[in-house]
PDB file of all heavy atoms in Angstrom:
ATOM      1  N   ARG A   1     -35.089  -2.990  21.842  1.00  0.00           N
ATOM      2  CA  ARG A   1     -34.375  -1.724  21.867  1.00  0.00           C
ATOM      3  C   ARG A   1     -35.460  -0.565  21.630  1.00  0.00           C
ATOM      4  O   ARG A   1     -35.338   0.430  22.224  1.00  0.00           O
ATOM      5  CB  ARG A   1     -33.288  -1.646  20.870  1.00  0.00           C
ATOM      6  CG  ARG A   1     -32.466  -0.457  20.957  1.00  0.00           C
ATOM      7  CD  ARG A   1     -31.266  -0.502  20.042  1.00  0.00           C
ATOM      8  NE  ARG A   1     -31.314   0.826  19.515  1.00  0.00           N
ATOM      9  CZ  ARG A   1     -31.099   1.017  18.078  1.00  0.00           C
ATOM     10  NH1 ARG A   1     -30.982   0.100  17.321  1.00  0.00           N
ATOM     11  NH2 ARG A   1     -31.053   2.210  17.695  1.00  0.00           N
ATOM     12  N   PHE A   2     -36.354  -0.850  20.683  1.00  0.00           N
ATOM     13  CA  PHE A   2     -37.116   0.190  20.227  1.00  0.00           C
ATOM     14  C   PHE A   2     -38.497   0.336  21.141  1.00  0.00           C
ATOM     15  O   PHE A   2     -39.372   1.189  20.711  1.00  0.00           O
ATOM     16  CB  PHE A   2     -37.628  -0.036  18.779  1.00  0.00           C
ATOM     17  CG  PHE A   2     -36.528   0.088  17.729  1.00  0.00           C
ATOM     18  CD1 PHE A   2     -36.555  -0.502  16.573  1.00  0.00           C
ATOM     19  CD2 PHE A   2     -35.449   0.888  18.090  1.00  0.00           C
ATOM     20  CE1 PHE A   2     -35.570  -0.396  15.618  1.00  0.00           C
ATOM     21  CE2 PHE A   2     -34.341   1.119  17.139  1.00  0.00           C
ATOM     22  CZ  PHE A   2     -34.500   0.383  15.871  1.00  0.00           C
ATOM     23  N   THR A   3     -38.485  -0.401  22.201  1.00  0.00           N
ATOM     24  CA  THR A   3     -39.679  -0.221  23.130  1.00  0.00           C
ATOM     25  C   THR A   3     -39.044   0.238  24.547  1.00  0.00           C
ATOM     26  O   THR A   3     -39.836  -0.020  25.456  1.00  0.00           O
ATOM     27  CB  THR A   3     -40.451  -1.445  23.232  1.00  0.00           C
ATOM     28  OG1 THR A   3     -39.596  -2.667  23.485  1.00  0.00           O
ATOM     29  CG2 THR A   3     -41.152  -1.771  21.917  1.00  0.00           C
ATOM     30  N   GLN A   4     -37.839   0.580  24.527  1.00  0.00           N
ATOM     31  CA  GLN A   4     -37.270   1.145  25.786  1.00  0.00           C
ATOM     32  C   GLN A   4     -37.710   2.596  26.047  1.00  0.00           C
ATOM     33  O   GLN A   4     -38.060   3.254  25.128  1.00  0.00           O
ATOM     34  CB  GLN A   4     -35.670   1.148  25.730  1.00  0.00           C
ATOM     35  CG  GLN A   4     -35.066  -0.222  25.582  1.00  0.00           C
ATOM     36  CD  GLN A   4     -35.526  -1.070  26.847  1.00  0.00           C
ATOM     37  OE1 GLN A   4     -35.322  -0.704  27.979  1.00  0.00           O
ATOM     38  NE2 GLN A   4     -36.071  -2.287  26.540  1.00  0.00           N
ATOM     39  N   PRO A   5     -37.699   3.119  27.193  1.00  0.00           N
ATOM     40  CA  PRO A   5     -38.140   4.535  27.423  1.00  0.00           C
ATOM     41  C   PRO A   5     -37.464   5.547  26.752  1.00  0.00           C
ATOM     42  O   PRO A   5     -38.168   6.584  26.406  1.00  0.00           O
ATOM     43  CB  PRO A   5     -37.905   4.677  29.042  1.00  0.00           C
ATOM     44  CG  PRO A   5     -37.799   3.275  29.609  1.00  0.00           C
ATOM     45  CD  PRO A   5     -37.372   2.421  28.464  1.00  0.00           C
ATOM     46  N   GLU A   6     -36.125   5.312  26.359  1.00  0.00           N
ATOM     47  CA  GLU A   6     -35.441   6.490  25.722  1.00  0.00           C
ATOM     48  C   GLU A   6     -35.504   6.209  24.183  1.00  0.00           C
ATOM     49  O   GLU A   6     -34.927   6.907  23.345  1.00  0.00           O
ATOM     50  CB  GLU A   6     -33.996   6.404  26.044  1.00  0.00           C
ATOM     51  CG  GLU A   6     -33.239   5.120  25.629  1.00  0.00           C
ATOM     52  CD  GLU A   6     -33.414   4.003  26.580  1.00  0.00           C
ATOM     53  OE1 GLU A   6     -34.100   4.038  27.691  1.00  0.00           O
ATOM     54  OE2 GLU A   6     -32.886   2.881  26.177  1.00  0.00           O
ATOM     55  N   CYS A   7     -36.413   5.451  23.663  1.00  0.00           N
ATOM     56  CA  CYS A   7     -36.697   5.286  22.214  1.00  0.00           C
ATOM     57  C   CYS A   7     -38.103   5.108  21.881  1.00  0.00           C
ATOM     58  O   CYS A   7     -38.793   4.211  22.640  1.00  0.00           O
ATOM     59  CB  CYS A   7     -35.928   4.093  21.797  1.00  0.00           C
ATOM     60  SG  CYS A   7     -36.018   3.769  19.964  1.00  0.00           S
ATOM     61  N   HIS A   8     -38.598   5.889  21.071  1.00  0.00           N
ATOM     62  CA  HIS A   8     -39.994   5.756  20.546  1.00  0.00           C
ATOM     63  C   HIS A   8     -39.952   5.401  19.088  1.00  0.00           C
ATOM     64  O   HIS A   8     -39.686   6.246  18.265  1.00  0.00           O
ATOM     65  CB  HIS A   8     -40.816   7.094  20.867  1.00  0.00           C
ATOM     66  CG  HIS A   8     -40.970   7.358  22.341  1.00  0.00           C
ATOM     67  ND1 HIS A   8     -42.052   8.230  22.703  1.00  0.00           N
ATOM     68  CD2 HIS A   8     -40.277   7.113  23.366  1.00  0.00           C
ATOM     69  CE1 HIS A   8     -41.911   8.323  24.051  1.00  0.00           C
ATOM     70  NE2 HIS A   8     -40.939   7.684  24.438  1.00  0.00           N
ATOM     71  N   ALA A   9     -40.302   4.179  18.751  1.00  0.00           N
ATOM     72  CA  ALA A   9     -40.263   3.666  17.404  1.00  0.00           C
ATOM     73  C   ALA A   9     -41.632   3.235  17.003  1.00  0.00           C
ATOM     74  O   ALA A   9     -42.492   2.923  17.726  1.00  0.00           O
ATOM     75  CB  ALA A   9     -39.372   2.429  17.334  1.00  0.00           C
ATOM     76  N   PHE A  10     -41.816   3.410  15.647  1.00  0.00           N
ATOM     77  CA  PHE A  10     -43.132   3.245  14.923  1.00  0.00           C
ATOM     78  C   PHE A  10     -42.981   2.522  13.703  1.00  0.00           C
ATOM     79  O   PHE A  10     -41.985   2.859  13.030  1.00  0.00           O
ATOM     80  CB  PHE A  10     -43.711   4.592  14.769  1.00  0.00           C
ATOM     81  CG  PHE A  10     -43.799   5.565  15.862  1.00  0.00           C
ATOM     82  CD1 PHE A  10     -42.949   6.446  16.202  1.00  0.00           C
ATOM     83  CD2 PHE A  10     -44.904   5.524  16.737  1.00  0.00           C
ATOM     84  CE1 PHE A  10     -42.871   7.209  17.296  1.00  0.00           C
ATOM     85  CE2 PHE A  10     -45.111   6.278  17.824  1.00  0.00           C
ATOM     86  CZ  PHE A  10     -44.025   7.200  18.149  1.00  0.00           C
ATOM     87  N   PHE A  11     -44.089   1.851  13.372  1.00  0.00           N
ATOM     88  CA  PHE A  11     -44.089   1.335  11.992  1.00  0.00           C
ATOM     89  C   PHE A  11     -45.006   2.416  11.184  1.00  0.00           C
ATOM     90  O   PHE A  11     -45.804   2.973  11.764  1.00  0.00           O
ATOM     91  CB  PHE A  11     -44.906  -0.005  11.965  1.00  0.00           C
ATOM     92  CG  PHE A  11     -44.034  -1.173  12.254  1.00  0.00           C
ATOM     93  CD1 PHE A  11     -44.095  -1.672  13.694  1.00  0.00           C
ATOM     94  CD2 PHE A  11     -43.043  -1.679  11.475  1.00  0.00           C
ATOM     95  CE1 PHE A  11     -43.380  -2.806  14.002  1.00  0.00           C
ATOM     96  CE2 PHE A  11     -42.323  -2.728  11.894  1.00  0.00           C
ATOM     97  CZ  PHE A  11     -42.444  -3.329  13.080  1.00  0.00           C
ATOM     98  N   ILE A  12     -44.650   2.584   9.974  1.00  0.00           N
ATOM     99  CA  ILE A  12     -45.308   3.550   9.203  1.00  0.00           C
ATOM    100  C   ILE A  12     -46.386   2.832   8.407  1.00  0.00           C
ATOM    101  O   ILE A  12     -46.058   1.869   7.665  1.00  0.00           O
ATOM    102  CB  ILE A  12     -44.288   4.268   8.047  1.00  0.00           C
ATOM    103  CG1 ILE A  12     -43.149   4.894   8.856  1.00  0.00           C
ATOM    104  CG2 ILE A  12     -44.983   5.215   7.176  1.00  0.00           C
ATOM    105  CD1 ILE A  12     -41.943   5.218   8.037  1.00  0.00           C
ATOM    106  N   PHE A  13     -47.571   3.435   8.531  1.00  0.00           N
ATOM    107  CA  PHE A  13     -48.830   2.742   7.871  1.00  0.00           C
ATOM    108  C   PHE A  13     -49.268   3.738   6.792  1.00  0.00           C
ATOM    109  O   PHE A  13     -49.449   4.858   7.175  1.00  0.00           O
ATOM    110  CB  PHE A  13     -49.768   2.490   8.988  1.00  0.00           C
ATOM    111  CG  PHE A  13     -51.026   1.831   8.296  1.00  0.00           C
ATOM    112  CD1 PHE A  13     -51.076   0.377   8.165  1.00  0.00           C
ATOM    113  CD2 PHE A  13     -52.153   2.524   7.997  1.00  0.00           C
ATOM    114  CE1 PHE A  13     -52.226  -0.177   7.581  1.00  0.00           C
ATOM    115  CE2 PHE A  13     -53.304   2.028   7.654  1.00  0.00           C
ATOM    116  CZ  PHE A  13     -53.294   0.586   7.322  1.00  0.00           C
ATOM    117  N   TYR A  14     -49.352   3.278   5.590  1.00  0.00           N
ATOM    118  CA  TYR A  14     -49.829   4.116   4.530  1.00  0.00           C
ATOM    119  C   TYR A  14     -51.262   3.768   4.348  1.00  0.00           C
ATOM    120  O   TYR A  14     -51.577   2.789   3.696  1.00  0.00           O
ATOM    121  CB  TYR A  14     -48.966   4.041   3.359  1.00  0.00           C
ATOM    122  CG  TYR A  14     -49.246   4.889   2.276  1.00  0.00           C
ATOM    123  CD1 TYR A  14     -49.151   6.359   2.322  1.00  0.00           C
ATOM    124  CD2 TYR A  14     -49.673   4.484   0.974  1.00  0.00           C
ATOM    125  CE1 TYR A  14     -49.453   7.167   1.409  1.00  0.00           C
ATOM    126  CE2 TYR A  14     -50.069   5.460  -0.020  1.00  0.00           C
ATOM    127  CZ  TYR A  14     -49.926   6.742   0.262  1.00  0.00           C
ATOM    128  OH  TYR A  14     -50.282   7.613  -0.849  1.00  0.00           O
ATOM    129  N   ALA A  15     -52.226   4.594   4.829  1.00  0.00           N
ATOM    130  CA  ALA A  15     -53.616   4.314   4.781  1.00  0.00           C
ATOM    131  C   ALA A  15     -54.197   4.100   3.420  1.00  0.00           C
ATOM    132  O   ALA A  15     -54.998   3.173   3.183  1.00  0.00           O
ATOM    133  CB  ALA A  15     -54.384   5.435   5.604  1.00  0.00           C
ATOM    134  N   PRO A  16     -53.951   4.936   2.315  1.00  0.00           N
ATOM    135  CA  PRO A  16     -54.459   4.720   1.130  1.00  0.00           C
ATOM    136  C   PRO A  16     -54.379   3.273   0.594  1.00  0.00           C
ATOM    137  O   PRO A  16     -55.307   2.761  -0.093  1.00  0.00           O
ATOM    138  CB  PRO A  16     -53.884   5.767   0.184  1.00  0.00           C
ATOM    139  CG  PRO A  16     -53.428   6.882   1.116  1.00  0.00           C
ATOM    140  CD  PRO A  16     -53.019   6.108   2.329  1.00  0.00           C
ATOM    141  N   ASP A  17     -53.215   2.683   0.828  1.00  0.00           N
ATOM    142  CA  ASP A  17     -52.983   1.341   0.346  1.00  0.00           C
ATOM    143  C   ASP A  17     -53.123   0.178   1.394  1.00  0.00           C
ATOM    144  O   ASP A  17     -52.914  -0.925   1.261  1.00  0.00           O
ATOM    145  CB  ASP A  17     -51.547   1.198  -0.194  1.00  0.00           C
ATOM    146  CG  ASP A  17     -51.384   2.010  -1.451  1.00  0.00           C
ATOM    147  OD1 ASP A  17     -52.477   2.460  -2.050  1.00  0.00           O
ATOM    148  OD2 ASP A  17     -50.274   2.213  -1.812  1.00  0.00           O
ATOM    149  N   ASN A  18     -53.520   0.712   2.706  1.00  0.00           N
ATOM    150  CA  ASN A  18     -53.739  -0.344   3.826  1.00  0.00           C
ATOM    151  C   ASN A  18     -52.540  -1.115   3.983  1.00  0.00           C
ATOM    152  O   ASN A  18     -52.436  -2.358   4.208  1.00  0.00           O
ATOM    153  CB  ASN A  18     -54.974  -1.059   3.613  1.00  0.00           C
ATOM    154  CG  ASN A  18     -55.367  -1.856   4.966  1.00  0.00           C
ATOM    155  OD1 ASN A  18     -55.417  -1.242   5.927  1.00  0.00           O
ATOM    156  ND2 ASN A  18     -55.951  -2.976   4.853  1.00  0.00           N
ATOM    157  N   ALA A  19     -51.284  -0.433   4.155  1.00  0.00           N
ATOM    158  CA  ALA A  19     -49.981  -1.185   4.169  1.00  0.00           C
ATOM    159  C   ALA A  19     -49.061  -0.573   5.032  1.00  0.00           C
ATOM    160  O   ALA A  19     -48.992   0.615   5.115  1.00  0.00           O
ATOM    161  CB  ALA A  19     -49.440  -1.247   2.626  1.00  0.00           C
ATOM    162  N   PHE A  20     -48.281  -1.380   5.665  1.00  0.00           N
ATOM    163  CA  PHE A  20     -47.066  -0.960   6.512  1.00  0.00           C
ATOM    164  C   PHE A  20     -45.890  -0.893   5.385  1.00  0.00           C
ATOM    165  O   PHE A  20     -45.746  -1.822   4.659  1.00  0.00           O
ATOM    166  CB  PHE A  20     -46.746  -1.902   7.559  1.00  0.00           C
ATOM    167  CG  PHE A  20     -47.732  -1.801   8.741  1.00  0.00           C
ATOM    168  CD1 PHE A  20     -48.706  -2.681   8.878  1.00  0.00           C
ATOM    169  CD2 PHE A  20     -47.552  -0.815   9.743  1.00  0.00           C
ATOM    170  CE1 PHE A  20     -49.581  -2.649   9.959  1.00  0.00           C
ATOM    171  CE2 PHE A  20     -48.372  -0.723  10.786  1.00  0.00           C
ATOM    172  CZ  PHE A  20     -49.391  -1.590  10.859  1.00  0.00           C
ATOM    173  N   ILE A  21     -45.313   0.384   5.416  1.00  0.00           N
ATOM    174  CA  ILE A  21     -44.334   0.543   4.404  1.00  0.00           C
ATOM    175  C   ILE A  21     -42.814   0.866   4.947  1.00  0.00           C
ATOM    176  O   ILE A  21     -41.968   1.026   4.155  1.00  0.00           O
ATOM    177  CB  ILE A  21     -44.648   1.680   3.435  1.00  0.00           C
ATOM    178  CG1 ILE A  21     -44.677   2.941   4.304  1.00  0.00           C
ATOM    179  CG2 ILE A  21     -45.980   1.390   2.773  1.00  0.00           C
ATOM    180  CD1 ILE A  21     -44.834   4.233   3.344  1.00  0.00           C
ATOM    181  N   GLY A  22     -42.768   0.974   6.270  1.00  0.00           N
ATOM    182  CA  GLY A  22     -41.344   1.239   6.825  1.00  0.00           C
ATOM    183  C   GLY A  22     -41.407   1.490   8.287  1.00  0.00           C
ATOM    184  O   GLY A  22     -42.379   1.087   8.942  1.00  0.00           O
ATOM    185  N   THR A  23     -40.371   2.142   8.889  1.00  0.00           N
ATOM    186  CA  THR A  23     -40.236   2.408  10.302  1.00  0.00           C
ATOM    187  C   THR A  23     -39.541   3.717  10.472  1.00  0.00           C
ATOM    188  O   THR A  23     -39.027   4.390   9.499  1.00  0.00           O
ATOM    189  CB  THR A  23     -39.319   1.344  10.951  1.00  0.00           C
ATOM    190  OG1 THR A  23     -37.965   1.520  10.492  1.00  0.00           O
ATOM    191  CG2 THR A  23     -39.745  -0.019  10.780  1.00  0.00           C
ATOM    192  N   THR A  24     -39.947   4.295  11.608  1.00  0.00           N
ATOM    193  CA  THR A  24     -39.286   5.584  11.947  1.00  0.00           C
ATOM    194  C   THR A  24     -39.162   5.581  13.452  1.00  0.00           C
ATOM    195  O   THR A  24     -39.817   4.815  14.217  1.00  0.00           O
ATOM    196  CB  THR A  24     -40.210   6.745  11.491  1.00  0.00           C
ATOM    197  OG1 THR A  24     -39.471   8.037  11.718  1.00  0.00           O
ATOM    198  CG2 THR A  24     -41.567   6.894  12.239  1.00  0.00           C
ATOM    199  N   LYS A  25     -38.266   6.563  13.952  1.00  0.00           N
ATOM    200  CA  LYS A  25     -38.010   6.485  15.416  1.00  0.00           C
ATOM    201  C   LYS A  25     -37.461   7.754  15.912  1.00  0.00           C
ATOM    202  O   LYS A  25     -36.945   8.585  15.142  1.00  0.00           O
ATOM    203  CB  LYS A  25     -37.046   5.326  15.719  1.00  0.00           C
ATOM    204  CG  LYS A  25     -35.666   5.537  15.229  1.00  0.00           C
ATOM    205  CD  LYS A  25     -34.780   4.535  15.667  1.00  0.00           C
ATOM    206  CE  LYS A  25     -33.341   4.742  14.887  1.00  0.00           C
ATOM    207  NZ  LYS A  25     -32.273   4.038  15.374  1.00  0.00           N
ATOM    208  N   LEU A  26     -37.570   7.994  17.160  1.00  0.00           N
ATOM    209  CA  LEU A  26     -36.779   8.967  17.978  1.00  0.00           C
ATOM    210  C   LEU A  26     -36.051   8.168  18.933  1.00  0.00           C
ATOM    211  O   LEU A  26     -36.689   7.374  19.727  1.00  0.00           O
ATOM    212  CB  LEU A  26     -37.684   9.979  18.694  1.00  0.00           C
ATOM    213  CG  LEU A  26     -38.447  10.867  17.823  1.00  0.00           C
ATOM    214  CD1 LEU A  26     -39.500  11.672  18.582  1.00  0.00           C
ATOM    215  CD2 LEU A  26     -37.606  11.825  17.111  1.00  0.00           C
ATOM    216  N   ASP A  27     -34.778   8.232  18.942  1.00  0.00           N
ATOM    217  CA  ASP A  27     -33.846   7.340  19.711  1.00  0.00           C
ATOM    218  C   ASP A  27     -32.945   8.107  20.511  1.00  0.00           C
ATOM    219  O   ASP A  27     -32.579   9.373  20.203  1.00  0.00           O
ATOM    220  CB  ASP A  27     -33.066   6.405  18.705  1.00  0.00           C
ATOM    221  CG  ASP A  27     -32.551   5.184  19.407  1.00  0.00           C
ATOM    222  OD1 ASP A  27     -32.769   5.009  20.708  1.00  0.00           O
ATOM    223  OD2 ASP A  27     -31.977   4.386  18.735  1.00  0.00           O
TER     224      ASP A  27
END
């Protein structure tokens, strides 16, 4: 779903801790 043309979804990467911490999207 999140890789369809009408949706741009991302994982949130927090650089200071070198960690993925969540997700965000335009749907």
Side-chain angles (χ1 to χ4, degrees):
R1 189 171 137 234
F2 294 154
T3 55
Q4 296 299 308
E6 67 278 355
C7 184
H8 293 207
F10 306 91
F11 285 101
I12 303 164
F13 183 79
Y14 187 61
D17 293 346
N18 195 36
F20 285 99
I21 63 167
T23 64
T24 189
K25 67 179 179 169
L26 292 172
D27 200 356

